[in-house]
Amino acid sequence: MRIEEFDPAADDGKVNACYQMYAAGLPFDDPDGPPMSARLFTAWMREGWAGERRETAVAAGPGGDWAGGYLLELPDRKNTHMGELTIMVAPDRRRQGYGAALLRHAAARASALGRTLLTGLTRRSEEHTSELQSHHD
């Protein structure tokens, strides 16, 4: 599996791939929530809600197509010890190790940047949340 960091301000193709993974996952991840439009998602990937530093990466599947990605937000005014991580994995690529590999990659980047706490959200049942927790304790 190849993980490639990218600049969302300069790579529309990878931003669009992340949006497609996000949108495809909504029925599973957040079926009751309002979806972000492609325009809003793109602005969030590029600039964030507060204009803070961010890092992005995508993971390639065996055929070279993008199977997953992440956005690592790095606050630079408050909570500078933290990183906030959003992982997206295409529904047909889930449970194949992409999410775990992206998590490891993002955690290593956060640590290299001096972050001692990495946060994120999960919108699945408690059963799935507990399973994720058990893999990363």
Side-chain angles (χ1 to χ4, degrees):
M1 172 183 325
R2 177 175 51 94
I3 296 178
E4 182 178 316
E5 296 175 27
F6 72 98
D7 177 359
D11 198 324
D12 292 338
K14 290 185 180 89
V15 171
N16 185 56
C18 287
Y19 178 74
Q20 296 305 319
M21 289 180 269
Y22 157 79
L26 279 175
F28 309 100
D29 301 333
D30 196 9
D32 300 321
M36 275 192 270
S37 67
R39 183 176 178 180
L40 182 59
F41 182 92
T42 298
W44 171 62
M45 287 283 290
R46 290 183 176 158
E47 301 165 19
W49 307 130
E52 294 180 323
R53 182 175 174 192
R54 60 201 43 263
E55 292 200 2
T56 52
V58 287
D65 58 323
W66 301 121
Y70 73 72
L71 168 64
L72 175 60
E73 297 175 282
L74 302 158
D76 55 9
R77 292 185 271 290
K78 296 189 305 184
N79 299 317
T80 57
H81 66 291
M82 294 176 59
E84 186 173 332
L85 180 63
T86 301
I87 296 176
M88 298 148 273
V89 177
D92 63 339
R93 298 303 181 90
R94 293 182 180 185
R95 310 210 45 87
Q96 297 175 34
Y98 291 101
L102 288 162
L103 174 59
R104 284 190 297 273
H105 189 275
R109 289 296 307 137
S111 180
L113 295 167
R115 305 305 166 120
T116 58
L117 178 64
L118 186 60
T119 66
L121 297 174
T122 180
R123 292 183 175 103
R124 290 294 306 231
S125 69
E126 190 161 320
E127 171 192 347
H128 290 95
T129 303
S130 297
E131 181 180 340
L132 177 66
Q133 177 86 23
S134 70
H135 287 294
H136 301 289
D137 279 340

Short mmCIF file of all heavy atoms in Angstrom, two decimals, residues 30-65:
data_model
loop_
_atom_site.label_atom_id
_atom_site.label_comp_id
_atom_site.label_asym_id
_atom_site.label_seq_id
_atom_site.Cartn_x
_atom_site.Cartn_y
_atom_site.Cartn_z
N ASP A 30 -22.64 8.59 8.60
CA ASP A 30 -23.44 9.67 9.17
C ASP A 30 -24.76 9.79 8.42
O ASP A 30 -25.03 10.80 7.78
CB ASP A 30 -22.65 10.97 9.10
CG ASP A 30 -23.22 12.06 9.99
OD1 ASP A 30 -24.12 11.78 10.80
OD2 ASP A 30 -22.76 13.21 9.87
N PRO A 31 -25.60 8.74 8.48
CA PRO A 31 -26.80 8.72 7.66
C PRO A 31 -27.81 9.81 8.00
O PRO A 31 -28.61 10.19 7.15
CB PRO A 31 -27.40 7.33 7.92
CG PRO A 31 -26.81 6.89 9.21
CD PRO A 31 -25.46 7.55 9.30
N ASP A 32 -27.76 10.35 9.21
CA ASP A 32 -28.74 11.37 9.62
C ASP A 32 -28.21 12.79 9.51
O ASP A 32 -28.96 13.74 9.69
CB ASP A 32 -29.19 11.10 11.05
CG ASP A 32 -29.83 9.74 11.19
OD1 ASP A 32 -30.57 9.33 10.27
OD2 ASP A 32 -29.59 9.07 12.21
N GLY A 33 -26.91 12.93 9.27
CA GLY A 33 -26.33 14.27 9.25
C GLY A 33 -26.43 14.92 7.89
O GLY A 33 -26.56 14.24 6.87
N PRO A 34 -26.36 16.23 7.87
CA PRO A 34 -26.36 16.91 6.57
C PRO A 34 -25.01 16.74 5.89
O PRO A 34 -23.96 16.89 6.52
CB PRO A 34 -26.61 18.38 6.94
CG PRO A 34 -26.10 18.51 8.33
CD PRO A 34 -26.31 17.17 8.98
N PRO A 35 -25.00 16.39 4.62
CA PRO A 35 -23.72 16.21 3.93
C PRO A 35 -23.09 17.55 3.56
O PRO A 35 -23.77 18.55 3.36
CB PRO A 35 -24.12 15.45 2.67
CG PRO A 35 -25.53 15.87 2.43
CD PRO A 35 -26.15 16.08 3.79
N MET A 36 -21.78 17.56 3.50
CA MET A 36 -21.06 18.73 2.96
C MET A 36 -21.15 18.68 1.45
O MET A 36 -21.00 17.60 0.86
CB MET A 36 -19.58 18.69 3.36
CG MET A 36 -19.28 19.25 4.70
SD MET A 36 -17.49 19.48 4.94
CE MET A 36 -17.05 17.90 5.64
N SER A 37 -21.33 19.82 0.84
CA SER A 37 -21.27 19.89 -0.62
C SER A 37 -19.81 19.72 -1.05
O SER A 37 -18.89 19.88 -0.24
CB SER A 37 -21.80 21.24 -1.10
OG SER A 37 -20.90 22.28 -0.68
N ALA A 38 -19.61 19.43 -2.32
CA ALA A 38 -18.24 19.31 -2.83
C ALA A 38 -17.49 20.62 -2.63
O ALA A 38 -16.30 20.61 -2.28
CB ALA A 38 -18.27 18.92 -4.31
N ARG A 39 -18.15 21.72 -2.83
CA ARG A 39 -17.50 23.04 -2.66
C ARG A 39 -17.07 23.28 -1.22
O ARG A 39 -15.95 23.71 -0.96
CB ARG A 39 -18.46 24.12 -3.13
CG ARG A 39 -17.89 25.49 -3.09
CD ARG A 39 -18.86 26.48 -3.66
NE ARG A 39 -18.31 27.82 -3.56
CZ ARG A 39 -18.92 28.89 -3.97
NH1 ARG A 39 -20.11 28.80 -4.53
NH2 ARG A 39 -18.37 30.06 -3.83
N LEU A 40 -17.96 22.99 -0.26
CA LEU A 40 -17.62 23.16 1.14
C LEU A 40 -16.52 22.20 1.57
O LEU A 40 -15.57 22.58 2.26
CB LEU A 40 -18.86 22.98 2.01
CG LEU A 40 -18.67 23.17 3.51
CD1 LEU A 40 -18.15 24.57 3.82
CD2 LEU A 40 -19.97 22.91 4.24
N PHE A 41 -16.61 20.95 1.14
CA PHE A 41 -15.59 19.95 1.46
C PHE A 41 -14.23 20.40 0.94
O PHE A 41 -13.22 20.31 1.64
CB PHE A 41 -15.98 18.60 0.85
CG PHE A 41 -15.02 17.49 1.17
CD1 PHE A 41 -15.20 16.69 2.27
CD2 PHE A 41 -13.93 17.24 0.35
CE1 PHE A 41 -14.32 15.66 2.57
CE2 PHE A 41 -13.04 16.21 0.63
CZ PHE A 41 -13.24 15.42 1.75
N THR A 42 -14.20 20.88 -0.30
CA THR A 42 -12.94 21.34 -0.90
C THR A 42 -12.35 22.50 -0.11
O THR A 42 -11.14 22.52 0.17
CB THR A 42 -13.17 21.74 -2.37
OG1 THR A 42 -13.61 20.59 -3.08
CG2 THR A 42 -11.90 22.29 -3.01
N ALA A 43 -13.19 23.45 0.30
CA ALA A 43 -12.70 24.58 1.11
C ALA A 43 -12.16 24.09 2.44
O ALA A 43 -11.11 24.56 2.91
CB ALA A 43 -13.82 25.59 1.32
N TRP A 44 -12.85 23.13 3.06
CA TRP A 44 -12.39 22.58 4.34
C TRP A 44 -11.05 21.87 4.17
O TRP A 44 -10.14 22.04 4.99
CB TRP A 44 -13.46 21.62 4.87
CG TRP A 44 -13.06 20.82 6.06
CD1 TRP A 44 -12.70 21.28 7.29
CD2 TRP A 44 -13.00 19.40 6.14
NE1 TRP A 44 -12.42 20.23 8.13
CE2 TRP A 44 -12.61 19.06 7.44
CE3 TRP A 44 -13.26 18.37 5.23
CZ2 TRP A 44 -12.46 17.75 7.87
CZ3 TRP A 44 -13.12 17.07 5.66
CH2 TRP A 44 -12.72 16.77 6.96
N MET A 45 -10.91 21.08 3.11
CA MET A 45 -9.63 20.40 2.88
C MET A 45 -8.50 21.41 2.66
O MET A 45 -7.39 21.20 3.13
CB MET A 45 -9.72 19.48 1.66
CG MET A 45 -10.53 18.21 1.85
SD MET A 45 -9.71 16.91 2.76
CE MET A 45 -8.45 16.38 1.64
N ARG A 46 -8.78 22.46 1.92
CA ARG A 46 -7.74 23.42 1.56
C ARG A 46 -7.40 24.40 2.68
O ARG A 46 -6.24 24.74 2.87
CB ARG A 46 -8.15 24.19 0.32
CG ARG A 46 -8.13 23.33 -0.90
CD ARG A 46 -8.48 24.12 -2.13
NE ARG A 46 -8.34 23.24 -3.30
CZ ARG A 46 -8.94 23.45 -4.44
NH1 ARG A 46 -9.70 24.51 -4.60
NH2 ARG A 46 -8.77 22.62 -5.44
N GLU A 47 -8.43 24.89 3.38
CA GLU A 47 -8.22 26.00 4.31
C GLU A 47 -8.65 25.71 5.73
O GLU A 47 -8.25 26.40 6.65
CB GLU A 47 -8.96 27.24 3.81
CG GLU A 47 -8.51 27.66 2.43
CD GLU A 47 -9.47 28.64 1.77
OE1 GLU A 47 -10.28 29.25 2.50
OE2 GLU A 47 -9.42 28.77 0.55
N GLY A 48 -9.51 24.73 5.91
CA GLY A 48 -10.03 24.43 7.25
C GLY A 48 -11.03 25.46 7.70
O GLY A 48 -11.35 26.40 6.99
N TRP A 49 -11.55 25.24 8.90
CA TRP A 49 -12.54 26.17 9.43
C TRP A 49 -11.88 27.42 10.00
O TRP A 49 -12.50 28.48 10.03
CB TRP A 49 -13.39 25.49 10.50
CG TRP A 49 -14.01 24.20 10.08
CD1 TRP A 49 -13.97 23.02 10.75
CD2 TRP A 49 -14.78 23.93 8.89
NE1 TRP A 49 -14.65 22.04 10.05
CE2 TRP A 49 -15.16 22.57 8.91
CE3 TRP A 49 -15.18 24.71 7.80
CZ2 TRP A 49 -15.92 21.98 7.91
CZ3 TRP A 49 -15.93 24.11 6.79
CH2 TRP A 49 -16.29 22.78 6.86
N ALA A 50 -10.65 27.30 10.47
CA ALA A 50 -9.98 28.43 11.10
C ALA A 50 -8.66 28.79 10.40
O ALA A 50 -7.88 29.57 10.92
CB ALA A 50 -9.72 28.13 12.57
N GLY A 51 -8.41 28.22 9.25
CA GLY A 51 -7.19 28.55 8.50
C GLY A 51 -5.91 28.02 9.12
O GLY A 51 -4.83 28.52 8.84
N GLU A 52 -6.02 26.98 9.95
CA GLU A 52 -4.83 26.44 10.61
C GLU A 52 -4.11 25.45 9.71
O GLU A 52 -4.64 24.97 8.72
CB GLU A 52 -5.23 25.80 11.94
CG GLU A 52 -5.75 26.84 12.92
CD GLU A 52 -6.17 26.27 14.25
OE1 GLU A 52 -6.73 25.16 14.28
OE2 GLU A 52 -5.94 26.95 15.26
N ARG A 53 -2.90 25.17 10.10
CA ARG A 53 -2.08 24.24 9.35
C ARG A 53 -2.76 22.88 9.22
O ARG A 53 -3.48 22.44 10.11
CB ARG A 53 -0.74 24.08 10.07
CG ARG A 53 0.21 23.17 9.35
CD ARG A 53 1.55 23.15 10.02
NE ARG A 53 2.37 22.16 9.36
CZ ARG A 53 3.51 21.72 9.83
NH1 ARG A 53 4.00 22.20 10.93
NH2 ARG A 53 4.19 20.82 9.16
N ARG A 54 -2.50 22.21 8.12
CA ARG A 54 -3.09 20.89 7.88
C ARG A 54 -2.16 20.06 7.02
O ARG A 54 -1.34 20.60 6.28
CB ARG A 54 -4.44 21.02 7.20
CG ARG A 54 -4.39 21.72 5.87
CD ARG A 54 -5.71 22.32 5.41
NE ARG A 54 -6.42 22.98 6.46
CZ ARG A 54 -7.41 22.42 7.20
NH1 ARG A 54 -7.86 21.24 6.90
NH2 ARG A 54 -7.95 23.05 8.18
N GLU A 55 -2.30 18.77 7.15
CA GLU A 55 -1.60 17.84 6.27
C GLU A 55 -2.62 16.85 5.73
O GLU A 55 -3.57 16.50 6.43
CB GLU A 55 -0.48 17.11 7.03
CG GLU A 55 0.64 18.04 7.43
CD GLU A 55 1.93 17.33 7.73
OE1 GLU A 55 2.01 16.09 7.61
OE2 GLU A 55 2.89 18.03 8.09
N THR A 56 -2.41 16.45 4.50
CA THR A 56 -3.34 15.53 3.84
C THR A 56 -2.55 14.43 3.16
O THR A 56 -1.41 14.63 2.73
CB THR A 56 -4.19 16.27 2.80
OG1 THR A 56 -3.33 17.01 1.94
CG2 THR A 56 -5.17 17.23 3.45
N ALA A 57 -3.19 13.27 3.05
CA ALA A 57 -2.56 12.14 2.37
C ALA A 57 -3.65 11.23 1.82
O ALA A 57 -4.79 11.24 2.30
CB ALA A 57 -1.65 11.36 3.32
N VAL A 58 -3.28 10.46 0.81
CA VAL A 58 -4.17 9.45 0.24
C VAL A 58 -3.42 8.12 0.19
O VAL A 58 -2.20 8.09 0.11
CB VAL A 58 -4.66 9.83 -1.18
CG1 VAL A 58 -5.69 10.95 -1.10
CG2 VAL A 58 -3.52 10.22 -2.09
N ALA A 59 -4.20 7.03 0.23
CA ALA A 59 -3.64 5.69 0.14
C ALA A 59 -4.11 5.06 -1.16
O ALA A 59 -5.31 5.10 -1.47
CB ALA A 59 -4.09 4.84 1.33
N ALA A 60 -3.18 4.49 -1.89
CA ALA A 60 -3.50 3.86 -3.17
C ALA A 60 -3.81 2.38 -2.97
O ALA A 60 -3.15 1.69 -2.20
CB ALA A 60 -2.33 4.01 -4.15
N GLY A 61 -4.83 1.92 -3.70
CA GLY A 61 -5.15 0.50 -3.73
C GLY A 61 -4.21 -0.23 -4.68
O GLY A 61 -3.35 0.39 -5.32
N PRO A 62 -4.38 -1.53 -4.83
CA PRO A 62 -3.48 -2.32 -5.67
C PRO A 62 -3.45 -1.88 -7.13
O PRO A 62 -2.43 -1.99 -7.78
CB PRO A 62 -4.00 -3.75 -5.55
CG PRO A 62 -5.12 -3.74 -4.60
CD PRO A 62 -5.40 -2.33 -4.19
N GLY A 63 -4.55 -1.35 -7.63
CA GLY A 63 -4.59 -0.90 -9.02
C GLY A 63 -4.16 0.55 -9.20
O GLY A 63 -4.22 1.09 -10.30
N GLY A 64 -3.76 1.19 -8.10
CA GLY A 64 -3.33 2.58 -8.16
C GLY A 64 -4.43 3.58 -7.90
O GLY A 64 -4.17 4.78 -7.79
N ASP A 65 -5.68 3.12 -7.78
CA ASP A 65 -6.78 4.04 -7.48
C ASP A 65 -6.72 4.40 -6.00
O ASP A 65 -6.17 3.69 -5.18
CB ASP A 65 -8.12 3.41 -7.84
CG ASP A 65 -8.36 2.09 -7.12
OD1 ASP A 65 -7.38 1.33 -6.95
OD2 ASP A 65 -9.49 1.82 -6.73
#
